[in-house]
Amino acid sequence: MDVTHAETIDEVREVVASVLGIEDRAAELDASTPLLDNVPELDSMAVLELVAAIEERFDFTVDDGDVSAELFETLGSLAAFVADRRP
């Protein structure tokens, strides 16, 4: 199944909004939206919850070494990571 970049961004947006409880603001999130230091709900515990939700939703394991500020810099950087690793 070919998944487009836009579809991956949409799916990652859904996961982020659900985990952070910001469904009411999900439509405001696009690929260039900064996550760290911009979304107050994204604290260290939320990062762990988000990683677990991504692993479950997209059926792959995120290595501890992959979890970085760069990964969570924008919605687009997170979606690109998912697109590169999804089965």
Side-chain angles (χ1 to χ4, degrees), residues 13-66:
R13 179 186 302 115
E14 289 173 18
V15 172
V16 169
S18 175
V19 168
L20 300 181
I22 58 170
E23 291 91 341
D24 59 324
R25 300 192 328 252
E28 300 170 16
L29 303 176
D30 63 25
S32 64
T33 301
L35 297 177
L36 280 182
D37 300 326
N38 184 58
V39 179
E41 294 84 357
L42 187 60
D43 59 16
S44 57
M45 281 303 295
V47 166
L48 297 176
E49 292 172 20
L50 192 49
V51 167
I54 285 170
E55 289 177 330
E56 183 176 327
R57 171 79 180 259
F58 299 105
D59 196 29
F60 66 85
T61 301
V62 178
D63 294 327
D64 291 343
D66 290 331

